[in-house]
């Protein structure tokens, strides 16, 4: 990572951590000047950008985030059994406009099942889900057509909302650019790398401007830069009032979310995430 | 209408990019025709029609299986189930019609003396039945291997069953066989009418079957309540 990359990562991280825009600009400009005049590797001078951003936040604080809006997703008492095995028991989650919720838990604890139930792709054995507004869903894998180009995926999703081809293509390319991907090539989806394909997957889910966005570990195959862009984009969507639910197993991201739903059975771990909302009793 | 056309167009694009599949789609009926060419012409034409039917069914099966993961998210993006299955069917019918053209011309070039109007009707019936037939198998059996084996079984039964027996009428491609008899053997009009009626009824029943399965699979679940943005 060169100095420019380091500064870019720092900028994204400060934005992500809701440092006031003016203050963030000032910090980045100061770091850039220091590097230009003094030289040296930013990793040696300042340390890792995420760590440096953390120090900045501790020192100058953050700007208050927008107040959460009305409830967009309310899942209550969700129970799901596969045969005799109960995968979800009475899981409850409420997410408001402008909030990010993380669904965490051990492998096989029902994170994806919970999300599919919230998306209405699977029926629970008990419980109900109320969604206000439009729903977007990004599956863990699949969900794209092997022999179609990225632009054709955008046209296909756009037509569902009655969006004309040109605007759908432009909107898709713009959303892909937010993830650092120039989508307008003539490469079929099957020839995209795993990470790029996942960017296409994610772009498709945000294309219909959903009020509630459900993401099932959407960052698989992402490199570090894309991963930063991903969280940056989630912050932007949150600030624009989208209610977001992310299934994740990466606990180091939990400080970036507003709500955590831990679906790990209580007898398996004594750990409880901050802001825990529901899950198994 | 735009949604329907978009799904049809994307189905068409996907299939046209599968060059290997396209080649096999063309090769299969050709082989069926050539393998019976030295024998009686009627058998050769019937095999050709069965080959077209099988080729289009297989394409429909694979297109349906490939779209399985994509369709739920398109449903969330604003499509209704009928946009998805009818759009796909339209795309497959178009592909079927395109690949039928060389097989309409093949006996002509080969100098076969037959009723070419009948051949066109039989090809239409084959394609009309094959698209929803392959789609229904793809919708009921999620794995391609199982679907292909079932398709193979049905086509084998179709080939081996005694055409005059009552059981033959239960096979999906009986219509094109009946019309082929009228086409090649100059039989009475009854063969043509029976064939056309059978083709129409079977196509309608299969399309209804596809609609039923898709409507169940892509239904709005009862536990999910949608409220307008307040």
């Amino acid at each position: 990572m060169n100095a420019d990359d380091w500064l870019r990562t720092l900028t994204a991280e400060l934005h992500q951590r809701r440092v006031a825009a003016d203050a963030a600009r000032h910090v980045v400009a100061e770091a850039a000047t220091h590097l230009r005049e003094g030289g040296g590797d930013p990793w040696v001078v300042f340390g890792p950008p995420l760590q440096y951003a953390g120090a900045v936040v501790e020192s100058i604080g953050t700007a208050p985030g927008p107040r959460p809006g009305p409830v967009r997703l309310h899942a209550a008492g969700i129970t799901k059994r596969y045969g005799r095995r109960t995968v979800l028991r009475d899981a409850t989650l409420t997410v408001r406009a402008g909030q990010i919720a993380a669904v965490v838990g051990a492998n096989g604890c029902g994170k994806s099942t919970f999300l599919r139930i919230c998306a209405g792709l699977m029926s629970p054995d008990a419980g109900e889900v109320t969604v206000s507004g439009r729903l977007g869903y990004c599956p863990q894998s699949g969900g794209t057509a092997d022999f179609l180009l990225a632009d054709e995926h955008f046209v296909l999703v756009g037509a569902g909302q009655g969006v004309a081809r040109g605007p759908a293509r432009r909107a898709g390319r713009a959303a892909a650019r937010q993830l650092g991907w120039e989508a307008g090539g003539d490469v079929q989806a099957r020839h995209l790398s795993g990470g790029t394909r996942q960017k296409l997957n994610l772009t498709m889910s945000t294309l219909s401007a959903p009020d509630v966005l459900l993401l099932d570990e959407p960052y698989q195959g992402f490199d570090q830069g894309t991963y930063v862009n991903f969280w940056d984009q989630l912050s932007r969507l949150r600030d624009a009032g989208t209610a977001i639910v992310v299934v994740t197993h990466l606990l180091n991201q939990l400080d970036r979310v507003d709500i955590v739903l831990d679906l790990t059975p209580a007898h398996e771990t004594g750990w409880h995430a901050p802001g825990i909302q529901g899950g198994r009793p | 209408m735009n949604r329907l056309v978009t799904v049809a167009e994307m189905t068409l694009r996907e299939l046209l990019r599968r060059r290997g599949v396209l080649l096999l789609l063309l090769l299969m009926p050709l082989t069926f025709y050539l393998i019976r060419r030295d024998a009686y012409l009627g058998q050769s034409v019937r095999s050709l029609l069965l080959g077209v039917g099988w080729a289009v069914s297989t394409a429909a099966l694979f297109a349906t299986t490939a779209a399985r993961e994509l369709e739920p998210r398109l449903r969330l993006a604003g499509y209704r189930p009928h946009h998805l299955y009818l759009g796909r069917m339209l795309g497959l019918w178009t592909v079927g019609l395109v690949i039928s053209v060389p097989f309409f011309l093949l006996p002509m070039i080969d100098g076969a003396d037959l009723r070419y109007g009948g051949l066109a009707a039989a090809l239409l019936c084959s394609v009309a039945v094959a698209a929803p037939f392959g789609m229904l198998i793809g919708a009921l059996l999620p794995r391609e291997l199982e679907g292909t084996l079932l398709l193979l079984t049905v086509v084998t039964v179709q080939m081996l069953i005694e055409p005059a027996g009552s059981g033959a009428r239960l096979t999906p491609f009986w219509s094109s066989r009946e019309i082929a008899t009228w086409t090649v053997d100059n039989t009475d009009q009854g063969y043509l009418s029976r064939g056309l009626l059978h083709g129409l009824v079977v196509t309608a029943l299969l399309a209804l079957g596809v609609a039923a399965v898709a409507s169940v699979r892509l239904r709005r679940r009862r536990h999910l309540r949608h409220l307008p943005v307040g």
Side-chain angles (χ1 to χ4, degrees):
Chain A
M1 185 186 275
N2 62 26
D4 287 340
D5 289 337
W6 189 92
L7 288 167
R8 248 195 306 279
T9 308
L10 176 66
T11 308
E13 190 63 19
L14 292 173
H15 175 74
Q16 179 69 47
R17 295 187 184 217
R18 291 189 163 156
V19 172
D22 284 346
R25 255 197 307 277
H26 182 72
V27 168
V28 174
E30 215 169 56
T33 308
H34 187 94
L35 289 173
R36 198 171 49 247
E37 288 174 357
D41 184 350
W43 283 77
V44 177
V45 180
F46 296 108
L50 304 191
Q51 193 181 315
Y52 188 65
V56 170
V57 168
E58 267 185 33
S59 158
I60 64 173
T62 58
R67 287 166 64 88
V71 172
R72 289 277 180 255
L73 175 83
H74 180 61
I78 302 297
T79 298
K80 180 72 183 175
R81 295 181 201 93
Y82 290 119
R84 288 183 179 175
R85 195 166 75 94
T86 302
V87 181
L88 291 167
R89 192 193 302 271
D90 204 21
T92 296
L93 177 70
T94 303
V95 190
R96 294 174 172 274
Q99 286 189 319
I100 300 179
V103 178
V104 301
N107 289 340
C109 72
K111 300 187 292 291
S112 295
T113 300
F114 180 76
L115 211 68
R116 288 177 66 81
I117 289 171
C118 288
L121 302 176
M122 182 186 270
S123 298
D125 291 301
E128 60 179 40
V129 177
T130 308
V131 172
S132 294
R134 197 175 293 151
L135 198 59
Y137 171 69
C138 177
Q140 198 170 19
S141 60
T144 55
D146 280 355
F147 290 84
L148 293 184
L149 311 179
D151 273 351
E152 289 163 351
H153 283 86
F154 304 150
V155 168
L156 191 57
V157 173
Q161 299 292 332
V163 180
R165 285 160 188 256
R169 255 185 239 118
R170 280 194 293 278
R173 288 180 187 187
R177 213 167 289 126
Q178 304 280 357
L179 293 168
W181 174 43
E182 289 300 328
D186 58 352
V187 183
Q188 293 169 24
R190 68 194 168 117
H191 294 312
L192 297 174
S193 70
T196 310
R197 199 166 171 144
Q198 204 51 15
K199 288 178 192 174
L200 170 61
N201 215 344
L202 184 59
T203 304
M204 286 167 73
S205 64
T206 58
L207 204 56
S208 55
D211 300 290
V212 178
L213 181 58
L214 307 173
L215 308 170
D216 191 355
E217 295 194 41
Y219 41 71
Q220 294 197 14
F222 282 4
D223 53 34
Q224 176 64 24
T226 308
Y227 189 67
V228 170
N229 288 342
F230 163 69
W231 279 98
D232 200 27
Q233 194 176 6
L234 285 201
S235 297
R236 271 194 295 274
L237 289 168
R238 167 173 63 184
D239 293 346
T242 309
I244 301 165
V245 182
V246 195
V247 167
T248 181
H249 61 271
L250 299 175
L251 300 180
N252 61 340
Q253 296 303 333
L254 294 190
D255 58 336
R256 301 180 176 208
V257 305
D258 305 293
I259 300 163
V260 176
L261 171 63
D262 184 8
L263 294 174
T264 308
H267 61 84
E268 282 186 19
T269 175
W271 180 84
H272 287 287
I276 189 162
Q277 268 260 327
R280 292 166 187 238
Chain B
M1 193 63 186
N2 182 39
R3 293 174 203 173
L4 207 73
V5 173
T6 307
V7 175
E9 178 198 329
M10 295 308 165
T11 304
L12 206 59
R13 282 178 186 270
E14 277 190 274
L15 280 172
L16 292 179
R17 284 187 187 134
R18 294 180 174 217
R19 297 215 176 88
V21 172
L22 270 183
L23 193 69
L24 289 172
L25 280 180
L26 292 168
L27 195 64
M28 199 184 291
L30 180 66
T31 314
F32 276 38
Y33 180 81
L34 292 178
I35 213 156
R36 293 283 188 163
R37 194 180 170 281
D38 291 338
Y40 162 58
L41 177 69
Q43 280 298 81
S44 192
V45 170
R46 282 182 199 117
S47 300
L48 173 78
L49 291 166
L50 199 55
V52 169
W54 194 24
V56 177
S57 310
T58 310
L61 166 70
F62 277 71
T64 307
T65 313
R68 213 177 173 82
E69 293 282 320
L70 184 63
E71 282 183 343
R73 76 182 309 173
L74 291 179
R75 181 87 175 89
L76 287 177
Y79 286 89
R80 306 278 298 275
H82 72 270
H83 294 133
L84 298 171
Y85 66 78
L86 281 181
R88 198 163 308 288
M89 218 178 280
L90 271 178
L92 288 161
W93 275 332
T94 311
V95 171
L97 287 178
V98 169
I99 67 161
S100 292
V101 173
F103 296 114
F104 176 75
L105 298 174
L106 179 64
M108 205 180 268
I109 294 163
D110 203 24
D113 177 25
L114 43 84
R115 290 166 160 166
Y116 280 95
L119 180 61
L123 279 167
L124 276 177
C125 272
S126 265
V127 170
V129 170
F133 180 54
M135 284 178 70
L136 185 61
I137 292 179
L140 290 172
L141 298 175
R143 292 185 191 87
E144 285 171 353
L145 181 61
E146 281 94 327
T148 311
L149 288 174
L150 180 60
L151 208 56
L152 189 64
T153 307
V154 172
V155 174
T156 309
V157 168
Q158 181 87 57
M159 278 177 105
L160 299 179
I161 200 165
E162 171 55 47
S166 55
R169 294 181 185 221
L170 297 176
T171 53
F173 298 108
W174 184 78
S175 55
S176 52
R177 189 183 178 104
E178 200 72 351
I179 299 171
T181 305
W182 181 79
T183 304
V184 178
D185 299 336
N186 290 311
T187 51
D188 65 84
Q189 200 74 13
Y191 280 83
L192 178 65
S193 332
R194 275 196 304 276
L196 287 175
L197 182 67
H198 187 272
L200 204 67
V201 170
V202 170
T203 303
L205 286 176
L206 289 170
L208 280 174
V210 171
V213 176
S215 301
V216 169
R217 204 165 60 82
L218 300 169
R219 71 189 181 280
R220 280 196 190 285
R221 312 272 168 163
R222 271 195 228 150
H223 73 279
L224 185 64
R225 215 154 50 94
H226 277 280
L227 300 176
V229 177

